[in-house]
Amino acid sequence: MTYKQFDLTGKVALITGGNSGIGLGMASGLAEAGASICIWGTSKEKNISAKKILDKFGTQIISFSCDVSNENEVNDVFLETVKIFGKVDACFANAGVGGSAEFADFPTDLWHKIININLNGTFYTFRAASRHMIDRGVGGRLIATSSTAAIHGAARSEAYAASKGAIITMVRGLAVELARYGITANSIVPGWVETAMTSPRVGDPKFEDRVMKRVPLRRWGKPEDFAGIAVYLASDASSYQTGEEFVIDGGYTRF
Ligand code: NAP
């Protein structure tokens, strides 16, 4: 350990959508820094294989099957998480889905699905976490995964962009409301990252030509690019940082 404040030994982090992609990248960094990890996802197979990856760091790793768009399930599984780990110090609301269609014909059920998982899921998760953190009385960390779709015009992805924009404004409100309890709230705003969500676009010559050329660092983001920010935001080093958006996009939104 080079900088003591990044040592997460003794801390517990919950990561929704921690069984793949960006969530697994963050969970790996947190576990390597010493945190015990609870991951939530709907796929039992993905939960099992992610636990195997995380187990190598030697901290306590547990996965739960939980659909974050189901309010009762989130409340129940959060209580179960606290029962097993004793506490949650840092809660990462990262679970999310994409979905695109021409706006004039955008299917209503697709709109609701995206909002239910991405936005309502973040609400249910953070509400359960903030209750726990307020009751515990020692502060805590709320970290949401937004998207650069909240910044640039995301054609045919208005539902996704709306959910991610709303996450940023929810988090800003939480930062102000919960500061009195020592709870911080921040958003991570990824650009184009190579994960299961973006796999249809990776290697697509048209997409690579039109989009990757506009990424100043000239590459796709990787799940491990999100480990450092996760450790920082879960650590004592970020105790005076709240209400902020951390854009990690290889410079895409600056170009
Ligand atoms: P991913 O690998 O597909 O990860 C999505 C995660 O969300 C999976 O762990 C998935 O687990 C979980 N999930 C989906 N629906 C869920 C539900 N109803 N309840 C609980 N968990 C659920 O894709 P990713 O790119 O890493 O996405 C992670 C987050 O980053 C998302 O919020 C996404 O919007 C955001 N993001 C991604 C990019 C990008 O370029 N990849 C860019 C900006 C933001 P199960 O399949 O087991 O449910």
Side-chain angles (χ1 to χ4, degrees):
M1 180 60 58
T2 51
Y3 180 52
K4 211 165 160 276
Q5 293 219 355
F6 289 158
D7 184 359
L8 301 182
T9 304
K11 292 193 192 290
V12 175
L14 161 64
I15 303 106
T16 73
N19 67 19
S20 77
I22 293 171
L24 183 53
M26 295 196 294
S28 300
L30 293 162
E32 191 172 345
S36 295
I37 306 289
C38 185
I39 53 173
W40 294 3
T42 61
S43 157
K44 287 200 172 72
E45 296 72 34
K46 283 164 70 181
N47 282 351
I48 289 167
S49 64
K51 180 175 156 42
K52 274 190 195 144
I53 292 168
L54 296 171
D55 272 340
K56 72 169 187 264
F57 296 109
T59 63
Q60 187 181 11
I61 311 291
I62 288 181
S63 66
F64 281 109
S65 187
C66 179
D67 177 355
V68 296
S69 68
N70 182 320
E71 183 174 7
N72 293 330
E73 220 171 290
V74 169
N75 288 335
D76 292 348
V77 179
F78 195 91
L79 290 178
E80 198 60 31
T81 301
V82 172
K83 210 161 136 189
I84 289 189
F85 288 91
K87 61 174 183 169
V88 171
D89 296 297
C91 177
F92 290 77
N94 164 78
V97 291
S100 56
E102 302 238 350
F103 188 72
D105 294 313
F106 205 94
T108 305
D109 57 351
L110 181 59
W111 180 279
H112 287 302
K113 179 188 168 197
I114 292 168
I115 297 294
N116 277 334
I117 295 174
N118 296 6
L119 178 57
N120 297 346
T122 300
F123 160 54
Y124 301 143
T125 305
F126 278 173
R127 185 177 56 181
S130 62
R131 276 183 197 141
H132 164 69
M133 289 169 183
I134 290 168
D135 284 352
R136 222 180 128 217
V138 296
R141 302 296 163 84
L142 303 176
I143 301 110
T145 305
S146 176
S147 164
T148 51
I151 298 173
H152 60 79
R156 294 177 293 283
S157 294
E158 288 81 3
Y160 182 77
S163 73
K164 296 300 185 178
I167 282 173
I168 287 178
T169 50
M170 188 203 308
V171 164
R172 288 182 188 176
L174 288 174
V176 175
E177 183 175 339
L178 301 180
R180 72 192 64 186
Y181 304 106
I183 300 167
T184 66
N186 291 285
S187 296
I188 296 171
V189 186
W192 294 103
V193 186
E194 195 172 344
T195 66
M197 184 179 282
T198 51
S199 60
R201 287 171 161 149
V202 178
D204 172 0
K206 203 164 145 191
F207 183 85
E208 298 271 350
D209 186 55
R210 289 186 181 170
V211 178
M212 275 307 124
K213 278 188 180 160
R214 294 189 55 233
V215 176
L217 285 175
R218 292 287 189 275
R219 68 164 173 87
W220 283 86
K222 297 180 182 135
E224 53 267 36
D225 291 323
F226 296 84
I229 191 67
V231 171
Y232 169 67
L233 287 175
S235 78
D236 295 341
S238 64
S239 59
Y240 197 56
Q241 182 99 58
T242 196
E244 195 51 85
E245 292 94 48
F246 293 83
V247 178
I248 299 182
D249 68 349
Y252 184 70
T253 48
R254 285 284 179 261
F255 185 49

